[in-house]
Coordinates of all heavy atoms in Angstrom, one line a residue:
M20 N 0.4 -47.3 -5.9 CA 0.6 -47.1 -7.3 C 2.0 -47.6 -7.5 O 2.9 -47.3 -6.8 CB 0.5 -45.7 -7.8 CG -0.9 -45.1 -7.6 SD -1.9 -45.4 -8.9 CE -3.2 -44.2 -8.7
N21 N 2.2 -48.4 -8.7 CA 3.4 -49.0 -9.0 C 4.2 -48.0 -10.0 O 3.7 -47.7 -11.1 CB 3.0 -50.3 -9.7 CG 4.2 -51.2 -10.0 OD1 5.4 -50.6 -10.3 ND2 4.1 -52.5 -10.1
P22 N 5.4 -47.7 -9.7 CA 6.1 -46.8 -10.6 C 6.5 -47.4 -11.9 O 6.7 -46.8 -12.9 CB 7.5 -46.6 -9.8 CG 7.5 -47.4 -8.7 CD 6.1 -48.0 -8.4
K23 N 6.5 -48.9 -12.0 CA 6.6 -49.4 -13.2 C 5.3 -49.1 -14.2 O 5.6 -49.1 -15.4 CB 6.8 -51.0 -13.1 CG 8.1 -51.2 -12.5 CD 8.2 -52.8 -12.4 CE 9.6 -53.2 -11.6 NZ 9.8 -54.6 -11.5
F24 N 4.2 -48.9 -13.7 CA 3.0 -48.5 -14.4 C 3.2 -47.2 -15.0 O 3.0 -46.9 -16.1 CB 1.8 -48.5 -13.5 CG 0.9 -49.7 -13.5 CD1 1.6 -51.0 -13.4 CD2 -0.4 -49.6 -13.7 CE1 0.7 -52.1 -13.3 CE2 -1.2 -50.7 -13.7 CZ -0.6 -52.0 -13.5
D25 N 3.8 -46.2 -14.2 CA 4.1 -44.9 -14.6 C 5.2 -45.0 -15.8 O 4.8 -44.2 -16.8 CB 4.7 -44.0 -13.5 CG 3.8 -43.8 -12.4 OD1 2.5 -43.6 -12.7 OD2 4.2 -43.8 -11.2
A26 N 6.1 -45.8 -15.7 CA 7.1 -45.9 -16.8 C 6.4 -46.5 -18.1 O 6.8 -46.1 -19.2 CB 8.3 -46.7 -16.4
Y27 N 5.6 -47.5 -17.9 CA 4.9 -48.2 -19.0 C 4.0 -47.0 -19.8 O 4.1 -46.9 -21.0 CB 4.0 -49.3 -18.6 CG 3.4 -50.1 -19.8 CD1 3.9 -51.1 -20.3 CD2 2.1 -49.5 -20.3 CE1 3.3 -51.8 -21.4 CE2 1.5 -50.2 -21.3 CZ 2.1 -51.2 -21.9 OH 1.5 -51.9 -22.9
I28 N 3.3 -46.3 -18.9 CA 2.4 -45.3 -19.7 C 3.4 -44.2 -20.3 O 3.0 -43.7 -21.4 CB 1.5 -44.6 -18.5 CG1 0.6 -45.8 -18.1 CG2 0.9 -43.4 -19.1 CD1 -0.4 -45.3 -16.8
A29 N 4.4 -43.8 -19.7 CA 5.3 -42.8 -20.2 C 5.9 -43.2 -21.6 O 6.2 -42.4 -22.4 CB 6.4 -42.4 -19.2
K30 N 6.1 -44.5 -21.7 CA 6.7 -45.0 -23.0 C 5.6 -45.2 -24.0 O 6.0 -45.5 -25.2 CB 7.4 -46.4 -22.7 CG 8.7 -46.1 -21.9 CD 9.4 -47.5 -21.7 CE 10.6 -47.4 -20.8 NZ 11.2 -48.6 -20.5
A31 N 4.4 -45.3 -23.7 CA 3.3 -45.5 -24.6 C 3.2 -44.4 -25.7 O 3.7 -43.3 -25.4 CB 2.0 -45.6 -24.0
A32 N 2.5 -44.7 -26.7 CA 2.4 -43.7 -27.8 C 1.6 -42.4 -27.2 O 0.7 -42.7 -26.3 CB 1.6 -44.3 -29.0
P33 N 1.8 -41.2 -27.6 CA 1.1 -40.1 -27.1 C -0.4 -40.2 -27.0 O -1.0 -39.8 -26.0 CB 1.5 -38.9 -27.9 CG 2.9 -39.3 -28.5 CD 2.8 -40.8 -28.6
F34 N -1.0 -40.8 -28.0 CA -2.5 -40.9 -28.0 C -3.0 -41.8 -26.8 O -4.1 -41.7 -26.4 CB -3.0 -41.4 -29.4 CG -2.9 -42.9 -29.5 CD1 -4.0 -43.8 -29.1 CD2 -1.8 -43.5 -30.0 CE1 -3.9 -45.2 -29.2 CE2 -1.7 -45.0 -30.1 CZ -2.7 -45.7 -29.7
A35 N -2.1 -42.8 -26.5 CA -2.5 -43.9 -25.5 C -2.3 -43.4 -24.1 O -3.0 -43.9 -23.2 CB -1.7 -45.1 -25.8
Q36 N -1.5 -42.5 -23.9 CA -1.2 -42.1 -22.4 C -2.5 -41.6 -21.7 O -2.7 -42.2 -20.6 CB -0.1 -41.0 -22.4 CG 1.2 -41.6 -22.9 CD 2.3 -40.7 -22.9 OE1 2.1 -39.5 -22.6 NE2 3.6 -41.0 -23.5
P37 N -3.2 -40.7 -22.3 CA -4.4 -40.4 -21.4 C -5.5 -41.5 -21.2 O -6.1 -41.5 -20.3 CB -5.0 -39.1 -22.2 CG -4.4 -39.2 -23.6 CD -3.1 -39.9 -23.4
I38 N -5.6 -42.3 -22.3 CA -6.4 -43.5 -22.1 C -6.0 -44.4 -21.0 O -6.8 -44.8 -20.2 CB -6.5 -44.2 -23.6 CG1 -7.0 -43.3 -24.6 CG2 -7.3 -45.5 -23.3 CD1 -6.9 -43.9 -26.1
L39 N -4.7 -44.7 -21.0 CA -4.1 -45.7 -19.9 C -4.3 -45.0 -18.6 O -4.7 -45.6 -17.6 CB -2.8 -45.9 -20.2 CG -2.4 -46.8 -21.5 CD1 -0.9 -46.8 -21.8 CD2 -3.2 -48.1 -21.5
I40 N -4.0 -43.8 -18.5 CA -4.2 -43.0 -17.2 C -5.7 -43.1 -16.8 O -5.9 -43.4 -15.6 CB -3.6 -41.5 -17.3 CG1 -2.2 -41.5 -17.5 CG2 -4.1 -40.8 -16.1 CD1 -1.6 -40.2 -17.9
H41 N -6.5 -42.9 -17.6 CA -8.0 -42.9 -17.2 C -8.5 -44.3 -16.9 O -9.1 -44.5 -15.8 CB -8.8 -42.4 -18.5 CG -10.3 -42.3 -18.3 ND1 -10.9 -41.5 -17.3 CD2 -11.4 -43.1 -18.7 CE1 -12.2 -41.6 -17.3 NE2 -12.5 -42.6 -18.1
L42 N -8.0 -45.3 -17.6 CA -8.3 -46.7 -17.2 C -7.8 -47.0 -15.8 O -8.5 -47.7 -15.0 CB -7.7 -47.7 -18.3 CG -8.5 -47.6 -19.6 CD1 -7.7 -48.5 -20.6 CD2 -9.9 -48.2 -19.5
R43 N -6.6 -46.6 -15.6 CA -5.9 -46.8 -14.3 C -6.7 -46.3 -13.2 O -7.1 -46.9 -12.1 CB -4.5 -46.3 -14.3 CG -3.7 -46.6 -13.0 CD -2.3 -45.9 -13.2 NE -1.3 -46.5 -12.2 CZ -0.1 -45.8 -12.1 NH1 0.1 -44.8 -12.8 NH2 0.6 -46.4 -11.2
E44 N -7.3 -45.0 -13.4 CA -7.9 -44.3 -12.4 C -9.3 -45.1 -12.1 O -9.7 -45.2 -10.9 CB -8.2 -42.9 -12.8 CG -7.0 -42.1 -12.7 CD -7.2 -40.6 -13.3 OE1 -8.2 -40.4 -13.9 OE2 -6.3 -39.8 -13.2
I45 N -9.9 -45.5 -13.2 CA -11.3 -46.1 -13.1 C -11.2 -47.4 -12.3 O -11.9 -47.8 -11.5 CB -11.9 -46.3 -14.4 CG1 -12.3 -45.0 -15.0 CG2 -13.1 -47.3 -14.4 CD1 -12.8 -45.1 -16.6
V46 N -10.1 -48.2 -12.6 CA -9.9 -49.4 -11.9 C -9.7 -49.2 -10.4 O -10.3 -49.9 -9.5 CB -8.7 -50.3 -12.5 CG1 -8.4 -51.5 -11.7 CG2 -9.0 -50.7 -13.9
H47 N -8.9 -48.3 -10.1 CA -8.6 -48.0 -8.7 C -9.9 -47.5 -8.0 O -10.1 -47.7 -6.8 CB -7.5 -47.1 -8.6 CG -6.2 -47.7 -8.6 ND1 -5.6 -48.4 -7.5 CD2 -5.3 -47.8 -9.6 CE1 -4.5 -48.9 -7.9 NE2 -4.2 -48.5 -9.2
Q48 N -10.7 -46.8 -8.8 CA -11.9 -46.2 -8.1 C -13.0 -47.3 -7.9 O -13.6 -47.4 -6.9 CB -12.5 -45.2 -9.1 CG -13.7 -44.4 -8.6 CD -14.2 -43.4 -9.6 OE1 -14.3 -43.6 -10.8 NE2 -14.5 -42.2 -9.1
G49 N -13.0 -48.2 -8.8 CA -14.0 -49.3 -8.7 C -13.6 -50.4 -7.8 O -14.4 -51.2 -7.3
C50 N -12.2 -50.6 -7.6 CA -11.7 -51.6 -6.7 C -10.6 -51.1 -5.9 O -9.4 -51.2 -6.3 CB -11.3 -52.8 -7.5 SG -10.8 -54.2 -6.5
P51 N -11.0 -50.3 -4.9 CA -9.8 -49.7 -4.1 C -8.7 -50.7 -3.5 O -7.6 -50.3 -3.3 CB -10.6 -49.1 -2.8 CG -12.0 -48.9 -3.3 CD -12.2 -50.2 -4.2
G52 N -9.0 -51.9 -3.3 CA -8.1 -52.8 -2.8 C -7.2 -53.5 -4.0 O -6.3 -54.4 -3.7
V53 N -7.3 -53.0 -5.3 CA -6.4 -53.6 -6.3 C -5.1 -53.3 -6.1 O -4.7 -52.3 -5.7 CB -7.1 -53.1 -7.7 CG1 -6.7 -51.7 -7.9 CG2 -6.7 -54.0 -8.8
E54 N -4.2 -54.2 -6.7 CA -2.8 -54.1 -6.6 C -2.3 -54.1 -8.1 O -2.9 -54.7 -9.0 CB -2.1 -55.1 -5.9 CG -2.4 -55.0 -4.4 CD -1.6 -56.1 -3.5 OE1 -0.7 -56.7 -4.1 OE2 -2.0 -56.3 -2.5
E55 N -1.2 -53.3 -8.4 CA -0.7 -53.2 -9.7 C 0.6 -54.2 -9.9 O 1.4 -54.1 -9.1 CB -0.3 -51.7 -10.0 CG -1.5 -50.8 -10.0 CD -1.0 -49.3 -10.2 OE1 0.2 -49.0 -10.1 OE2 -2.0 -48.6 -10.5
A56 N 0.6 -54.7 -11.0 CA 1.7 -55.6 -11.2 C 2.0 -55.6 -12.8 O 1.1 -55.6 -13.6 CB 1.6 -57.0 -10.8
I57 N 3.3 -55.6 -13.1 CA 3.7 -55.8 -14.6 C 3.9 -57.4 -14.8 O 4.7 -57.9 -14.1 CB 5.0 -55.0 -15.0 CG1 4.8 -53.5 -14.7 CG2 5.4 -55.4 -16.4 CD1 3.8 -52.9 -15.7
K58 N 3.1 -57.9 -15.6 CA 3.2 -59.3 -16.0 C 3.2 -59.3 -17.4 O 2.4 -58.8 -18.2 CB 2.1 -60.1 -15.4 CG 2.2 -60.1 -14.0 CD 1.0 -61.1 -13.4 CE 1.0 -61.1 -11.9 NZ 2.0 -61.8 -11.3
W59 N 4.1 -60.3 -18.1 CA 4.1 -60.4 -19.5 C 4.6 -59.1 -20.2 O 4.1 -58.9 -21.4 CB 3.0 -61.1 -20.1 CG 2.7 -62.3 -19.5 CD1 3.3 -63.6 -19.5 CD2 1.6 -62.5 -18.5 NE1 2.7 -64.5 -18.6 CE2 1.6 -63.9 -17.9 CE3 0.6 -61.7 -17.9 CZ2 0.7 -64.4 -17.1 CZ3 -0.4 -62.2 -17.0 CH2 -0.2 -63.5 -16.6
G60 N 5.1 -58.1 -19.5 CA 5.4 -56.9 -20.1 C 4.4 -55.9 -20.1 O 4.6 -54.7 -20.7
F61 N 3.2 -56.1 -19.6 CA 2.3 -55.1 -19.6 C 1.5 -55.0 -18.3 O 1.5 -56.0 -17.5 CB 1.3 -55.2 -20.8 CG 0.5 -56.6 -20.8 CD1 -0.8 -56.6 -20.2 CD2 1.0 -57.7 -21.5 CE1 -1.4 -57.9 -20.3 CE2 0.4 -58.9 -21.6 CZ -0.9 -58.9 -20.9
P62 N 0.8 -53.8 -18.0 CA 0.1 -53.6 -16.7 C -1.0 -54.5 -16.4 O -1.9 -54.8 -17.3 CB -0.4 -52.2 -16.9 CG 0.4 -51.6 -17.9 CD 0.7 -52.6 -18.8
N63 N -1.0 -55.2 -15.3 CA -2.2 -56.0 -14.8 C -2.6 -55.5 -13.4 O -1.8 -55.0 -12.7 CB -1.6 -57.5 -14.6 CG -1.4 -58.1 -15.9 OD1 -2.4 -58.8 -16.5 ND2 -0.3 -57.9 -16.5
F64 N -3.8 -55.6 -13.2 CA -4.4 -55.2 -11.9 C -4.8 -56.5 -11.2 O -5.5 -57.3 -11.9 CB -5.6 -54.3 -12.1 CG -5.3 -53.1 -12.7 CD1 -5.4 -53.0 -14.1 CD2 -4.9 -51.9 -12.0 CE1 -5.1 -51.7 -14.8 CE2 -4.6 -50.7 -12.6 CZ -4.6 -50.7 -14.0
E65 N -4.4 -56.7 -9.9 CA -4.7 -57.9 -9.2 C -5.6 -57.7 -7.9 O -5.4 -56.8 -7.2 CB -3.3 -58.6 -8.7 CG -2.4 -59.0 -9.8 CD -1.2 -59.6 -9.3 OE1 -0.8 -59.4 -8.2 OE2 -0.6 -60.4 -10.2
Y66 N -6.5 -58.5 -7.9 CA -7.4 -58.5 -6.7 C -8.0 -60.0 -6.6 O -8.7 -60.4 -7.5 CB -8.6 -57.6 -6.8 CG -9.6 -57.6 -5.6 CD1 -9.1 -57.0 -4.5 CD2 -10.7 -58.3 -5.7 CE1 -9.9 -57.0 -3.4 CE2 -11.6 -58.3 -4.5 CZ -11.2 -57.6 -3.4 OH -11.9 -57.7 -2.4
K67 N -7.4 -60.8 -5.6 CA -7.8 -62.2 -5.6 C -7.4 -62.8 -7.0 O -8.1 -63.6 -7.5 CB -9.3 -62.5 -5.3 CG -9.7 -61.9 -4.1 CD -11.2 -62.2 -3.8 CE -11.7 -61.5 -2.5 NZ -13.0 -61.7 -2.2
G68 N -6.1 -62.6 -7.4 CA -5.6 -63.0 -8.7 C -5.6 -61.9 -9.6 O -6.1 -60.8 -9.3
I69 N -5.4 -62.1 -10.9 CA -5.4 -61.1 -11.9 C -6.9 -60.8 -12.3 O -7.7 -61.6 -12.5 CB -4.7 -61.6 -13.2 CG1 -3.3 -61.8 -13.0 CG2 -4.9 -60.5 -14.3 CD1 -2.5 -62.4 -14.1
L70 N -7.2 -59.5 -12.1 CA -8.6 -59.0 -12.3 C -8.7 -58.6 -13.7 O -9.7 -58.9 -14.4 CB -8.9 -57.8 -11.3 CG -10.2 -57.2 -11.5 CD1 -11.3 -58.1 -11.2 CD2 -10.3 -55.9 -10.5
C71 N -7.8 -57.6 -14.2 CA -7.8 -57.0 -15.5 C -6.5 -56.6 -15.9 O -5.6 -56.6 -15.1 CB -8.9 -55.9 -15.6 SG -8.6 -54.6 -14.4
S72 N -6.4 -56.2 -17.2 CA -5.1 -55.8 -17.7 C -5.3 -54.8 -18.8 O -6.5 -54.7 -19.5 CB -4.3 -57.0 -18.2 OG -5.0 -57.7 -19.3
M73 N -4.3 -54.0 -19.2 CA -4.3 -53.0 -20.2 C -3.0 -53.0 -21.0 O -2.0 -53.4 -20.4 CB -4.6 -51.7 -19.7 CG -3.7 -51.0 -18.7 SD -4.3 -49.4 -18.1 CE -2.9 -48.9 -17.3
A74 N -3.0 -52.6 -22.2 CA -1.9 -52.6 -23.0 C -2.0 -51.4 -24.0 O -3.1 -51.2 -24.5 CB -1.6 -53.9 -23.6
A75 N -0.8 -51.0 -24.4 CA -0.7 -50.0 -25.5 C 0.0 -50.5 -26.7 O 1.1 -51.1 -26.5 CB -0.2 -48.7 -25.0
F76 N -0.4 -50.3 -27.9 CA 0.3 -50.7 -29.0 C 0.5 -49.6 -30.1 O 0.1 -48.4 -29.6 CB -0.6 -51.8 -29.8 CG -0.9 -53.0 -28.9 CD1 -2.0 -53.1 -28.1 CD2 0.1 -54.0 -28.8 CE1 -2.3 -54.1 -27.4 CE2 -0.1 -55.1 -27.9 CZ -1.3 -55.1 -27.2
K77 N 1.0 -49.7 -31.1 CA 1.4 -48.5 -32.0 C 0.1 -47.7 -32.3 O 0.1 -46.5 -32.5 CB 2.0 -49.0 -33.3 CG 3.4 -49.4 -33.1 CD 4.1 -49.8 -34.4 CE 5.5 -50.4 -34.1 NZ 6.1 -50.9 -35.4
Q78 N -1.0 -48.4 -32.6 CA -2.2 -47.7 -33.1 C -3.5 -48.0 -32.3 O -4.6 -47.5 -32.7 CB -2.4 -48.0 -34.5 CG -1.4 -47.4 -35.4 CD -1.5 -47.7 -36.9 OE1 -2.6 -48.2 -37.3 NE2 -0.6 -47.0 -37.8
H79 N -3.4 -48.7 -31.2 CA -4.5 -49.0 -30.4 C -4.2 -49.3 -29.0 O -3.0 -49.6 -28.7 CB -5.4 -50.1 -31.0 CG -4.8 -51.5 -31.0 ND1 -3.8 -51.9 -31.8 CD2 -5.1 -52.5 -30.0 CE1 -3.4 -53.1 -31.5 NE2 -4.2 -53.6 -30.4
C80 N -5.1 -49.4 -28.1 CA -4.9 -49.8 -26.7 C -5.9 -51.0 -26.5 O -6.9 -51.1 -27.2 CB -5.3 -48.7 -25.7 SG -4.3 -47.3 -25.8
S81 N -5.7 -51.8 -25.5 CA -6.5 -52.8 -25.2 C -6.7 -52.9 -23.6 O -5.9 -52.4 -22.8 CB -6.1 -54.2 -25.7 OG -4.8 -54.6 -24.9
F82 N -7.9 -53.4 -23.3 CA -8.3 -53.6 -21.9 C -9.1 -54.8 -21.7 O -10.1 -54.9 -22.5 CB -9.0 -52.2 -21.4 CG -9.4 -52.3 -19.8 CD1 -8.4 -52.0 -18.9 CD2 -10.6 -52.9 -19.5 CE1 -8.8 -52.0 -17.6 CE2 -10.9 -52.9 -18.1 CZ -10.0 -52.5 -17.2
G83 N -8.9 -55.6 -20.8 CA -9.7 -56.8 -20.7 C -9.8 -57.3 -19.3 O -8.9 -57.2 -18.4
F84 N -10.9 -57.9 -19.0 CA -11.2 -58.6 -17.7 C -10.8 -60.0 -17.7 O -11.1 -60.7 -18.6 CB -12.6 -58.3 -17.2 CG -13.0 -57.0 -16.9 CD1 -13.5 -56.1 -17.8 CD2 -12.6 -56.4 -15.6 CE1 -13.9 -54.7 -17.5 CE2 -12.9 -55.0 -15.3 CZ -13.6 -54.2 -16.3
W85 N -10.2 -60.4 -16.6 CA -9.8 -61.9 -16.5 C -10.8 -62.6 -15.7 O -11.1 -63.8 -15.9 CB -8.5 -62.0 -15.8 CG -7.3 -61.7 -16.6 CD1 -7.0 -60.4 -17.3 CD2 -6.2 -62.5 -16.9 NE1 -5.9 -60.5 -18.0 CE2 -5.4 -61.7 -17.8 CE3 -5.8 -63.7 -16.6 CZ2 -4.1 -62.2 -18.3 CZ3 -4.6 -64.2 -17.0 CH2 -3.8 -63.5 -17.9
K86 N -11.4 -61.9 -14.7 CA -12.4 -62.6 -13.8 C -13.7 -61.8 -13.7 O -14.0 -61.3 -12.6 CB -11.7 -62.8 -12.5 CG -10.5 -63.6 -12.4 CD -10.0 -63.8 -11.0 CE -9.0 -64.8 -11.0 NZ -8.5 -65.3 -9.8
G87 N -14.4 -61.8 -14.8 CA -15.7 -61.2 -14.8 C -16.6 -61.8 -13.8 O -17.6 -61.2 -13.3
S88 N -16.4 -63.1 -13.4 CA -17.3 -63.7 -12.5 C -17.4 -63.2 -11.1 O -18.3 -63.3 -10.3 CB -17.1 -65.2 -12.5 OG -15.7 -65.4 -12.0
I89 N -16.2 -62.4 -10.7 CA -16.2 -62.0 -9.4 C -16.7 -60.5 -9.3 O -16.7 -59.9 -8.3 CB -14.8 -62.0 -8.7 CG1 -13.8 -61.2 -9.3 CG2 -14.4 -63.4 -8.6 CD1 -12.5 -61.1 -8.6
M90 N -17.0 -60.0 -10.5 CA -17.6 -58.6 -10.5 C -19.1 -58.6 -10.4 O -19.8 -59.5 -11.0 CB -17.2 -58.0 -11.8 CG -15.7 -57.7 -12.0 SD -15.2 -57.2 -13.8 CE -16.4 -56.0 -14.0
S91 N -19.6 -57.7 -9.6 CA -21.1 -57.7 -9.4 C -21.5 -56.3 -9.3 O -20.8 -55.4 -8.7 CB -21.5 -58.5 -8.4 OG -21.1 -58.1 -7.1
D92 N -22.7 -56.0 -9.7 CA -23.4 -54.7 -9.6 C -24.6 -54.9 -8.7 O -25.6 -55.5 -9.3 CB -23.6 -54.1 -10.9 CG -24.2 -52.7 -10.8 OD1 -24.4 -52.2 -9.6 OD2 -24.4 -51.9 -11.8
P93 N -24.6 -54.5 -7.5 CA -25.7 -54.7 -6.6 C -27.0 -54.0 -7.0 O -28.0 -54.3 -6.4 CB -25.2 -54.3 -5.1 CG -24.2 -53.3 -5.5 CD -23.6 -53.8 -6.7
K94 N -26.9 -53.1 -8.0 CA -28.0 -52.4 -8.4 C -29.1 -53.1 -9.1 O -28.8 -54.0 -9.8 CB -27.6 -51.1 -9.2 CG -26.9 -50.2 -8.4 CD -26.4 -49.0 -9.1 CE -25.4 -48.1 -8.4 NZ -25.0 -47.1 -9.0

């Protein structure tokens, strides 16, 4: 876990904090080998390059996948 992620979440609006914490947990659960990095001022998750990112704004949060093609569900 990257302490810069903790600082980013702590600075986010109160409504966004539990959302960002939950997203972070889900990403780590789904991809145990993921690494955290702050790029362009917001949290990114890296696995074979940037996998996904999240951000908090005044009135909303965002989450997006960069490499959906490497994601698969064997079910």
Side-chain angles (χ1 to χ4, degrees):
M20 299 275 199
N21 186 332
K23 291 181 180 180
F24 266 49
D25 296 324
Y27 183 92
I28 292 169
K30 290 180 184 177
F34 83 89
Q36 293 175 5
I38 296 167
L39 297 174
I40 291 168
H41 183 67
L42 289 170
R43 185 184 196 186
E44 290 171 354
I45 288 173
V46 171
H47 279 280
Q48 184 178 47
C50 184
V53 76
E54 294 182 12
E55 300 178 342
I57 300 289
K58 294 184 181 290
W59 307 287
F61 59 93
N63 287 266
F64 298 92
E65 296 182 338
Y66 181 77
K67 300 181 182 179
I69 297 174
L70 175 65
C71 54
S72 60
M73 63 184 188
F76 302 94
K77 289 182 182 181
Q78 296 183 353
H79 72 281
C80 293
S81 69
F82 182 84
F84 289 99
W85 285 57
K86 296 189 176 188
S88 63
I89 66 169
M90 297 170 42
S91 65
D92 185 355
K94 296 177 186 178

